[in-house]
Amino acid sequence: MTVMQHIWIVLGVLFVLLNIAAGLIWVERRLLAMWQDRLGPNRAGPLGIFIVLADTLKLFFKEDWIPPFADKWVFILAPAIVVGSVLMSFVIIPFAPGIVVADLNIGLLFFLAMSSLGVYSIVLGGWASNNKYALLGALRGASQMIAYEVFMGLSVMGVVMLSRSFNLIDIVAAQENVWFVVTQPVGFVIFFIAGIAETHRLPFDIPEAESELIAGFHAEYSGMKFGMFFIGEYMGITLISAMTVTMFFGGWLGPAFLPPVLWFFLKTFFFIGLFILLRASLPRPRYDQLIEYGWKILLPLVLVNLLVTGAIALWLKS
Amino acid sequence: MPKIYIDNKSFDVKAGKNLLETCLSLGYDLPYFCWHPAMGSIGACRQCAVRVFKDEEDTKGRIVMSCMENVKEGLRMSVSDEMATAFRAQVVEWLMTNHPHDCPVCDEGGSCHLQDVTVMTGHDYRRFEYKKRTYTNQYLGPFIHHEMNRCIQCYRCVRFYRDYAGGDDLNVFSAHNHVYFGREKDGILQSPFSGNLAEVCPTGVFTDKTLKEHYTRKWDLTTAPSICQHCSLGCNTIPGERYGKLRNIVNRYNGEVNGYFLCDRGRFGYEFVNSENRITQPIIRNRTIEAVSHDLLIQHLAMLLPGQTLIGIGSPRASVESNYSLRELVGKENFYQGVNDDQVFLEQKIVDILQSGCVHTPSLKEIEEADAVLVLGEDIWNTAPIMALAVRQSVMKTAAAESLEQVPLPAWHDVAVKELVQEAKGFLANVTVLPSPLNEIAACSMQGAPDDMARLGFGIAHILNPTLPSVGVIMEKAIIIAEALKHAKRPVIITGTGGCNDGLIRAAYDIAVALKTEDRKPGLAFVLPECNSMGLAMMRAPSLEKVAGRVQNTPNVTVVILENDLYRRIPAAKADAFFRQCKNIIVLDALHNRTTEKAHVLIPAATFAEADGTFVNNEGRAQRSCQVFMPAINTIKESFKWLWEIKALLTSASNGQEKHPDELLARLESSLTQFAGISAVAPPRDFRIHGSAIPRESHRYSGRTAMLSNLAVSEPKPLQDDDSPLSFTMEGYRGMPPAPLIPSFWAPGWNSGQAVNKYQQEVGGPLKGGDPGIRLFEQTTATPVFSRDIPDAFVPRPNKWLLLPQHHIFGTGELSMYTKGIAERSPEPYITLSKWDAEQLGAVKGDLLSVKTDEKIYTFPLIIEESLQDGIVLMPAGLQGMDVWSWGAWVNITK
Amino acid sequence: MLSHLRTMWLVFLHLFHKRETIQYPEEKIQLHPRWRGRIVLTKDPDGGERCVGCYLCAAACPVDCIALQATEDEDGRRYPEFFRINFSRCIFCGYCEEACPTYAIQLIPDFEMAEYKRQDLVFEKEDLLIDSQGKYPGYNFYKVAGLDAGVKEKGKGDNEEEPVDIKSLLP
């Protein structure tokens, strides 16, 4: 691949991703409305799609206020980290054969590393805000991330065992015959749950919890800095959906009447929809229940899954 | 101390009280109507039913009226008992069968005892579906509105009006369920205490007519503890404000001073605060635009004042703080009293006597408890009405006490005691120029010239202490009075400045001192003319005549006149001459008058309702009057604030810091030792309870976000009060405030003024924490010096008459006359002569006579007074717009 | 876990339900007579102002957005000298209507009262008074209140006896 091609791919991925993230503003609101028997945003533009523009403009023109009591530099840094770390994760995702920014042989580990970095934005943002609700949100965020990080990593190990590679292109290729969701159903479920927790989406939006912590770690943020958290969350959804598709649903693989990249996006959108459906239907658990659920149920389960997968893999090999 | 059991809880209670008082003192909410702490029980309304049990085993008990039952050792009773509760609810239901559904248009609503009791007993639904009784109303004068439909026949009004206050034109008519409380026919209620009917009536039959003009509910009033401005007694009041206007005044209980009642001048004389005649902006005269801003005024004064000799004229109606601030501004040697020579002389005499400490000066409460009273030459009915009411109580109580010595009856049993007493009276000797309504209850009364009254006094003193000089003839009345005083344990002698004769004051002093023995504690009470006369006199500054002399000999004089109309102090010619000699005249006052017309610079001063200030009453009791509301116009400020601002212009080291009453009183104490202790008059301005100030507004103050929204929809910041521990908002401490800071009487379930029960240590006793006020005179063991200078007997002179003032409760006050109703009842100027004198002049009633005094001729209609001493002419004192006359001068009268 | 999935499924099915949204400015909403909207002052059957200036609405108002001053005409009939509602503060709780003893203040089904300037949300009596009896036709407070305020003489009201003749001792 030439350097030019590479740059085109990078720009293309960036363009598509940011548009999806922004578009999700509209998608989420419309879908939530549908599931609540409402219409949702339908005034600006056809089907209300221009709410994306309106919302973005609003965020740009809102006063970008840094509270006088905040730790100024850390306060500015935090929202940058969230967007940065998520965008970095997309580097290793194979959208279709040949469309990948970096074909790393430790792609999966890179993804885990990057998504763990995201927690810094929450901790730093909550700390720098110098506000007790923000700090509480940050603390919750940190402990939630640590808990779910562990078995998120472990849940995909089954996939790694079966495909014998950390390279995501290899993992997709290994699903040529059967998707890993069939062979690794437990791994899929646990990865998906951990993914929700990673993106701190409802029902696991413990760090922001409007009704208890009045928006938690980003309570003090406004304007485009708040916008970064906002966009970061949507990109997180996209990332987890894309990763799920890549690892358990055969990535770009699909019947040939559609191009591979479209298959990839279709599958991804399905999971994005699932995320939104989760938000529409499930209530938020209590903080201690969430942590307990992680450590006491999901972690043993994922270990058992790993053991069984390993045993079967060994048995098949012998 | 008997022990009684209420609902099986034991209490040690005071003997000699009835169960109702006892329960209320203990904090029980027991409803009542006809009982009043100042008037005792008659058991008419049947509302205060409780169940009393024979002993511990008795479960049946019996229903009794708690106001008619004495406290007995070991008594068992129940307030919350089911049968008693049902009984009380039933009584209210009966009362309500005829009570109209007009609370929305009733002025009592929201401070109504009947509403409180109805809610307290739980009666909330009218089952009686038949017709309601109606009555026609009467016109009762400018103060009291009558709506007889609302009556619940508790008889409190007539008991107060007739028995307590001695009025005779309000009565009960008709019979059975048609009883009617009113006058024989429409007409003005004559008693000067009629305003109390509005508070005494448990519902809205009698309501305040002046409040009706600008009606506001109690919960909407901004209130603060205040002091009445209309005489020297310093009655405690609660003025209420709404939308920047003063709305009404109600009584503020002070066990030592006014107790439960106010006179009509005090209650209704507040309307000057809302007057059109108020000075609202600083004025610099002789300019194209005379009304100026605050900054322009200060600029002007900064240019005007340097190099000038500042002379200050104080005022007996300005607070201690303002007078002191003026004294600080101009310096001790340039401060004058603003009162004429004769008055200063009399007041100085009084202050000397009280400061000598030889004799005790009683509070009104002590006068009420006196067992013999001699009023010597002071027309207290007109100059100190509440003192007259106290004297009446002393006469009644003494008679009752004497009767109860023979028959053991509880003192609160009003009807029985009245039956027993019949027409008996305690001892009162009323010695005045003209007969007074007090004569009706006086055992001995006398009319005469001031000198003769003084001679009577000296005669009494001589009988009591024969070492004192004799007046020559022994007067029969002197013997009677001396005997009565000798037999009393707590005699009180009352005199004052109203007689314009120092002989009266000296004679009263001699009597009081001569009465002093081991077991006899005489009291000597003085009546002064104005609300802070005593405070000003205690500063011991020279009189107005002295300043006139001073100005003549000094060039470049700037005179600063504090809240004082000099035309009410000295004859107009003298005042004019004085003003001509002053280079600059700076006047601080609240209302335009003849003096403010002369001012070159006129500064708007706050009235009592807009100012914090301390006033010293006739017994030397310093009392704090708190600001009720902030004037809407910010150029109206307390005089002392203006004066300190002016002082800051003169001293180079001006820090511009505002002076607060606390600091001023502390400085006053250190510079004038006679005021020692005055700074404890009220808690300091940083006083807080649990970190909270005391709110002036009720907890249900309404319209906060709408009252100013017509001007600007954004609400202004709440007003701050730096001068007192009171706040201008609804927020603050809602519990029991210290007694000097009670902004209003309210307790849960007790919205009417009857909530005062909750503020007293025991019902009818002192307020919790002690009654407010600091007495500045203490009795010492100093050896008294008798006065031996007896005036000569009065002899009429041919074609000359002795000019004396006649005071009027409605008419004499400078400020009270701004109230329409009071102006309506004020007399037109007149000349009073004795019958013989009138005949000599060949004049009949109504003829126009001319009096020549102070180089001017005044022509007024004649009134003939049979009992007036020949050779005396009486003219009304202090009518609005009248010149002041030289009282005590000999004048010519022509037809 | 299963119940969670069931929840999600049920929520998902709402995709195919009927929308509840009313497209407001184009489609008008049907308001009920007891809907608590704009506050008005009504008149009694004789055309007089019903409000007697009793201050109960002001006292009941939890946001203190009602201010008024009572006054009287020469017959003694009370009416508000001014009556002001600051609608920028009003929360349309209807307590004022509940408190009103004369049915004067009423909340009506009209909510279209937005303004561009907050100051325009301050309504004076002239803005509030309507020429109608509102929800309670036929009611006249002074007919049942006993006192004589120019509406009826003493004893001529509903359920009232003729005034007592105090000169008579007959039962």
Side-chain angles (χ1 to χ4, degrees), chain A residues 250-267:
Chain A
W252 66 80
L253 299 174
F257 58 85
L258 282 178
V261 71
L262 220 53
W263 273 118
F264 183 84
F265 278 116
L266 271 179
K267 291 176 187 172

Side-chain angles (χ1 to χ4, degrees), chain A residues 30-31 33-40 42-43 189 193 274 277-278 280-283 293, chain C residues 1 3-5 7-9 11-21 23-26:
Chain A
R30 279 300 277 213
L31 279 177
M34 296 292 191
W35 282 317
Q36 292 165 354
D37 294 350
R38 294 184 288 119
L39 286 172
N42 66 343
R43 293 271 160 182
V189 169
I193 290 172
L274 199 60
L277 182 60
L278 274 167
S281 46
L282 295 185
Y293 183 60
Chain C
M1 191 73 191
S3 84
H4 285 161
L5 292 176
T7 308
M8 284 165 72
W9 175 245
V11 171
F12 179 75
L13 286 184
H14 274 268
L15 207 54
F16 311 107
H17 285 203
K18 188 179 163 281
R19 309 289 98 183
E20 295 291 342
T21 308
Q23 295 283 61
Y24 163 59
E26 296 89 22

Side-chain angles (χ1 to χ4, degrees), chain B residues 17 67 98 268 321 332 476 493:
Chain B
K17 299 267 172 191
C67 71
N98 278 316
F268 302 113
E321 287 88 344
K332 183 178 161 232
E476 192 193 331
I493 323 297

Side-chain angles (χ1 to χ4, degrees), chain A residues 108 156 159 168 171 175 180 191 242-249:
Chain A
L108 192 53
V156 292
V159 173
L168 291 176
I171 290 175
Q175 297 177 70
F180 283 147
F191 178 82
M243 282 304 287
T244 315
V245 169
T246 310
M247 284 191 296
F248 296 100
F249 289 85

Side-chain angles (χ1 to χ4, degrees), chain B residues 171 199 255 268 271 281 353 581 695 713 799 828 837 845:
Chain B
N171 215 334
E199 279 188 61
F268 302 113
E271 284 180 26
Q281 256 201 310
I353 288 173
Q581 278 152 356
V713 72
N799 297 326
E828 289 298 313
D837 283 337
K845 185 170 175 261

Side-chain angles (χ1 to χ4, degrees), chain B residues 548-657:
Chain B
R550 171 96 184 273
V551 171
Q552 255 172 350
N553 310 324
T554 325
N556 286 342
V557 165
T558 295
V559 60
V560 183
I561 301 172
L562 172 69
E563 303 179 30
N564 202 342
D565 181 5
L566 301 192
Y567 287 91
R568 292 178 65 87
R569 309 289 173 194
I570 49 174
K574 281 190 191 169
D576 288 337
F578 167 69
F579 285 131
R580 270 197 302 276
Q581 278 152 356
C582 302
K583 184 137 182 268
N584 300 305
I585 302 163
I586 301 173
V587 178
L588 296 100
D589 213 335
L591 290 150
H592 287 285
N593 55 38
R594 290 163 78 185
T595 299
T596 61
E597 278 167 28
K598 296 281 178 193
H600 301 131
V601 178
L602 184 53
I603 302 176
T607 61
F608 80 101
E610 298 141 338
D612 288 284
T614 305
F615 298 88
V616 185
N617 80 350
N618 69 318
E619 51 160 326
R621 179 186 293 269
Q623 300 185 102
R624 170 63 59 80
S625 170
C626 291
Q627 186 174 16
V628 181
F629 68 105
M630 200 78 96
I633 304 156
N634 61 7
T635 44
I636 297 180
K637 275 201 281 192
E638 284 118 318
S639 296
F640 63 81
K641 294 219 165 131
W642 279 117
L643 291 166
W644 283 98
E645 213 167 313
I646 296 171
K647 190 169 163 66
L649 293 174
L650 297 178
T651 44
S652 52
S654 69
N655 52 7
Q657 207 190 342

Side-chain angles (χ1 to χ4, degrees), chain B residues 209-268:
Chain B
K209 217 179 218 176
T210 64
L211 171 63
K212 210 176 177 61
E213 298 283 305
H214 36 226
Y215 183 64
T216 306
R217 297 245 178 249
K218 182 181 177 183
W219 65 69
D220 279 341
L221 291 170
T222 304
T223 50
S226 191
I227 301 297
C228 181
Q229 301 289 301
H230 301 295
C231 82
S232 64
L233 298 183
C235 293
N236 291 202
T237 58
I238 299 176
E241 173 267 354
R242 177 86 174 164
Y243 303 132
K245 294 263 183 281
L246 208 57
R247 298 301 167 120
N248 73 338
I249 281 185
V250 293
N251 178 60
R252 176 162 64 101
Y253 180 87
N254 182 332
E256 284 294 319
V257 187
N258 49 315
Y260 290 92
F261 305 113
L262 292 177
C263 72
D264 287 358
R265 176 152 73 172
R267 183 181 298 271
F268 302 113

Side-chain angles (χ1 to χ4, degrees), chain A residues 70-87:
Chain A
D71 186 339
K72 195 178 166 197
W73 295 112
V74 181
F75 191 81
I76 296 171
L77 189 64
I81 291 180
V82 68
V83 178
S85 67
V86 179
L87 280 177

